């Protein structure tokens, strides 16, 4: 079976969030179980494309409304990713230093049209087209409705929703950018009077998955306007929990760590990494270290961090370290925290993130929305105890110590609740024997992709047997 993943992000080529990690790992695990999964993504002007060689395998022009743009399909020469990587270069449009900006409608339409134009020319077409989030959400519609793609119509399409907050809305004035289709079908593109690529994908894809079972249920109550659509389409929707790349995220071999370790020497291994962090960020090594890694946005609860941190630091003998960037106002408020037990790195640094997973004692994830969340799984693998709001994927992966589990959960996101969870964690840390036993235990929890990769393959197989 040949599966083509089409995505805006893929690790390590271009990463903004967890979408990249999923698309960079899932195909490898699908290959291991006998499915030929490969990836198509935009060709960005970034470090990865500058430092790697590509073969030009196809070249043509696409029509975007009345304009024509040349495009190239470039295949990565190096085969170490574990799957074939095809990048679509549309000079001056897709080829930019950034992944997302305010010209996304045109850029991602160009990308999607070029991808399908190219698929039409292949001798062997994929058996499944798997698209991710709204950036590639017009593909199921185009395959089904656009006259020029009639030859692709019988290829089953799967949409995975990594985050339903963003839907790619654009005005009906731009509908002519989409290749011609029977205009009586324009309603498939529309949701509440505007073109909505995510809604179009939910309507047209053969199957819709979300990245955790709980998130699937939550979306029926809160999906930024798509609740009734998801309830209506629920028969073809299923939640499949993400996994993590077990080889990339391995504290025993991770080259970014200051000291490698496994479950047999985790206590000393973590100490070495904590020492490095505490020296670098001038924090006291003896205190329990709480960390946050991620985007500073409302979904992650970041607007409350300044208040939470001040209160938690006043009430507990702890240190807090933050790595991330996002809303400027939150960044400015965090910069005003004047406490010797708090420090931050505003920006993103993959190596530092790895050391924090390894050196921190607790990872904070007070997310208001968390479709899956990968950070809690990375932290478990590195022996760091997650302190999470029990929603979405966090609910599906973390069990509270009260219930015989291994993490700290709270059920609401406000200053009181999160601070209370931090205090519970601090108390828990005091009993060294129990705490260290738990650290060793969480490292052994298997959140690798192996299980979920198989669930996706089962889903693909079920589609091959169905006629739509
Ligand atoms: C998005 C979600 C996150 C999920 C990731 C990968 O970034 O916000 O929860 O883990 O996608 O699916």
């Amino acid at each position: 079976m040949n599966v083509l993943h089409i995505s805006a992000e893929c690790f390590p080529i271009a990463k903004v969030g967890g979408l990249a990690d999923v698309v960079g790992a899932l195909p490898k695990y699908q290959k291991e179980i006998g499915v030929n999964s490969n990836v198509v993504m935009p060709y960005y002007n970034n470090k990865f494309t500058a430092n790697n060689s590509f073969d030009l395998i196809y070249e043509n022009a696409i029509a975007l409304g009345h304009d024509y743009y040349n495009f190239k399909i470039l295949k990565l020469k190096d085969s170490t990713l574990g799957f074939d990587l095809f990048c679509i270069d549309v000079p001056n449009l897709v080829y930019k230093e950034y992944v997302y900006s305010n010209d996304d409608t045109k850029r991602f339409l160009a990308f999607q049209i070029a991808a399908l134009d190219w698929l039409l020319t292949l001798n062997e077409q994929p058996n499944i087209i798997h698209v991710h989030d709204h950036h590639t959400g017009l593909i199921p519609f185009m395959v089904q409705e656009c006259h020029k793609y009639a030859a692709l119509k019988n290829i089953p399409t799967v949409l995975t929703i990594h985050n339903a907050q963003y839907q790619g809305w654009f005005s009906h004035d731009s509908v002519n950018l989409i290749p011609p289709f029977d205009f009586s079908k324009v309603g498939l593109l529309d949701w509440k009077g505007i073109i909505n690529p995510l809604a179009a994908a939910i309507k047209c894809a053969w199957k819709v998955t979300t990245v955790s079972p709980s998130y699937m249920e939550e979306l029926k109550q809160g999906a930024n306007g798509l609740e009734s659509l998801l309830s209506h389409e629920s028969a073809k929707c299923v939640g499949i929990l993400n996994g993590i790349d077990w080889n990339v995220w391995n504290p025993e071999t991770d080259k970014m760590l200051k000291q490698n370790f496994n479950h047999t020497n985790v206590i000393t291994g973590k100490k070495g990494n904590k020492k490095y962090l505490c020296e670098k960020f001038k924090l006291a090594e003896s205190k329990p270290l709480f960390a946050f890694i991620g985007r500073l946005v409302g979904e992650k609860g970041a607007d409350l961090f300044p208040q939470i941190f001040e209160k938690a630091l006043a009430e507990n003998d702890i240190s807090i370290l933050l790595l991330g960037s996002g809303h400027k106002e939150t960044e400015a408020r965090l910069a005003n925290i004047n406490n010797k037990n708090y420090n931050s790195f505003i920006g993103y640094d993959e190596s530092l993130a790895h050391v924090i997973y390894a050196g921190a004692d607790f990872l904070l994830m007070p997310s208001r929305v968390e479709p899956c969340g990968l950070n809690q799984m990375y932290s478990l693998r590195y022996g760091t105890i997650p302190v999470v709001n029990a929603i979405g994927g966090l609910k599906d992966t973390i069990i509270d110590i009260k219930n015989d589990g291994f993490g700290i959960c709270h059920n609401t996101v406000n200053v009181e609740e999160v601070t209370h969870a931090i205090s519970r964690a601090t108390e828990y840390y005091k009993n060294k024997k129990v705490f260290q036993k738990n650290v060793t235990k969480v490292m052994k929890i298997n959140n690798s992709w192996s299980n979920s990769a198989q669930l996706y393959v089962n889903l693909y197989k079920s589609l091959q047997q169905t006629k739509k």
Side-chain angles (χ1 to χ4, degrees):
M1 190 185 345
N2 294 321
V3 176
L4 199 58
H5 290 273
I6 310 186
S7 168
E9 299 179 38
C10 176
F11 181 82
I13 301 92
K15 170 169 169 173
V16 177
L19 167 63
D21 289 342
V22 171
V23 177
L26 177 58
K28 273 197 273 197
Y29 284 81
Q30 293 182 330
K31 281 236 157 118
E32 278 176 17
I33 47 178
V35 170
N36 181 28
S37 275
N38 298 301
V39 174
V40 182
M41 71 180 297
Y43 188 69
Y44 298 113
N45 180 5
N46 66 15
K47 245 195 197 153
F48 186 95
T49 58
N51 294 337
N52 284 275
S53 314
F54 291 81
D55 287 320
L56 173 65
I57 60 164
Y58 184 73
E59 199 170 6
N60 209 329
I62 48 157
L64 253 192
H66 298 301
D67 297 329
Y68 287 85
Y69 292 85
N70 291 327
F71 76 93
K72 291 182 185 137
I73 305 287
L74 303 165
K75 184 177 177 202
L76 182 69
K77 275 197 174 139
D78 185 335
S79 60
T80 51
L81 288 180
F83 50 83
D84 291 342
L85 177 80
F86 302 94
C87 291
I88 300 187
D89 181 15
V90 186
N92 303 323
L93 190 57
V94 170
Y95 184 68
K96 295 279 168 74
E97 297 81 23
Y98 48 82
V99 176
Y100 307 118
S101 187
N102 47 17
D103 53 355
D104 286 358
T105 299
K106 244 179 140 183
R107 288 173 73 220
F108 287 114
L109 246 171
F111 166 63
Q112 294 174 86
I113 293 170
L116 294 183
D117 279 13
W118 169 58
L119 286 192
L120 280 177
T121 69
L122 298 182
N123 292 331
E124 197 184 353
Q125 268 148 6
N127 304 103
I128 302 280
I129 297 177
H130 190 153
V131 302
H132 298 264
D133 278 350
H134 72 84
H135 330 102
T136 50
L138 292 171
I139 286 179
F141 171 85
M142 292 198 284
V143 164
Q144 182 181 302
E145 302 297 340
C146 291
H147 307 311
K148 71 186 293 198
Y149 303 129
L152 307 175
K153 207 177 173 134
N154 292 324
I155 304 178
T157 49
V158 175
L159 162 73
T160 293
I161 304 177
H162 297 259
N163 193 334
Q165 290 299 110
Y166 310 100
Q167 300 169 6
W169 312 266
F170 61 90
S171 150
H172 276 270
D173 298 346
S174 299
V175 74
N176 68 323
L177 297 178
I178 299 173
F181 56 92
D182 174 353
F183 210 71
S184 68
K185 300 293 178 63
V186 72
L188 289 171
L189 293 168
D190 179 279
W191 190 251
K192 300 184 180 169
I194 192 163
I195 297 195
N196 183 321
L198 188 66
I202 295 168
K203 293 179 200 178
C204 299
W206 294 33
K207 284 274 182 195
V208 176
T209 72
T210 56
V211 290
S212 71
S214 288
Y215 186 54
M216 184 84 253
E217 286 315 302
E218 290 163 10
L219 282 179
K220 292 177 193 159
Q221 311 301 323
N224 207 2
L226 300 182
E227 302 76 16
S228 60
L229 176 61
L230 282 155
S231 300
H232 178 75
E233 298 286 1
S234 65
K236 67 175 183 189
C237 295
V238 54
I240 300 180
L241 193 67
N242 284 337
I244 60 173
D245 193 325
W246 215 235
N247 300 323
V248 170
W249 295 93
N250 181 354
E252 207 166 0
T253 53
D254 189 333
K255 291 201 175 64
M256 297 178 207
L257 298 194
K258 299 301 160 193
Q259 190 171 331
N260 289 104
F261 56 93
N262 60 29
H263 69 271
T264 64
N265 56 4
V266 50
I267 304 302
T268 50
K270 284 184 74 67
K271 235 188 200 154
N273 290 288
K274 185 173 178 179
K275 184 168 191 292
Y276 167 85
L277 290 174
C278 290
E279 276 167 12
K280 187 174 165 74
F281 290 99
K282 304 194 175 53
L283 298 168
E285 236 182 291
S286 56
K287 300 182 198 295
L289 177 60
F290 289 76
F292 172 83
I293 300 176
R295 288 176 300 126
L296 301 176
V297 295
E299 277 187 16
K300 306 287 177 199
D303 48 307
L304 300 179
F305 287 178
Q307 285 163 280
I308 293 172
F309 292 176
E310 304 231 33
K311 188 166 158 60
L313 288 165
E315 292 175 3
N316 302 283
D317 192 20
I318 60 172
S319 315
I320 300 179
L321 176 60
L322 172 142
L323 165 63
S325 63
H327 278 169
K328 295 298 157 217
E329 196 209 315
T330 305
E331 288 183 7
R333 285 168 56 221
L334 285 167
N336 279 335
I337 299 181
N338 188 8
N339 187 315
K340 65 176 186 344
N341 297 318
Y342 167 77
N343 210 341
S344 67
F345 180 97
I346 301 296
Y348 195 72
D349 179 332
E350 188 79 13
S351 306
L352 179 59
H354 283 237
V355 183
I356 296 178
Y357 287 118
D361 297 298
F362 296 97
L363 186 83
L364 297 170
M365 292 184 79
S367 308
R368 293 189 176 97
V369 180
E370 197 60 84
C372 177
L374 299 168
N375 295 6
Q376 79 278 19
M377 298 196 246
Y378 298 146
S379 97
L380 292 173
R381 177 93 160 121
Y382 285 60
T384 297
I385 308 304
V387 180
V388 307
N389 183 35
I391 40 126
L394 296 173
K395 185 172 167 188
D396 294 342
T397 50
I398 307 299
I399 305 171
D400 195 279
I401 45 170
K402 271 195 313 238
N403 305 323
D404 246 1
F406 46 83
I408 311 278
C409 300
H410 51 91
N411 292 307
T412 328
V413 178
N414 60 37
V415 177
E416 285 299 321
E417 285 285 321
V418 180
T419 316
H420 178 65
I422 294 176
S423 303
R424 275 182 66 212
T426 311
E427 275 310 303
Y428 185 59
Y429 181 85
K430 285 183 185 157
N431 188 339
K432 281 269 158 350
K433 221 167 137 199
V434 175
F435 181 79
Q436 292 182 350
K437 196 166 158 216
N438 192 32
V439 165
T440 311
K441 176 170 125 187
V442 299
M443 283 194 73
K444 295 189 229 159
I445 299 173
N446 190 337
N447 283 311
S448 134
W449 264 111
S450 328
N451 285 340
S452 301
Q454 185 64 52
L455 295 177
Y456 276 110
V457 172
N458 297 349
L459 182 117
Y460 301 151
K461 285 190 178 148
S462 74
L463 289 178
Q464 284 193 297
Q465 284 148 15
T466 353
K467 281 264 172 290
K468 205 187 178 190

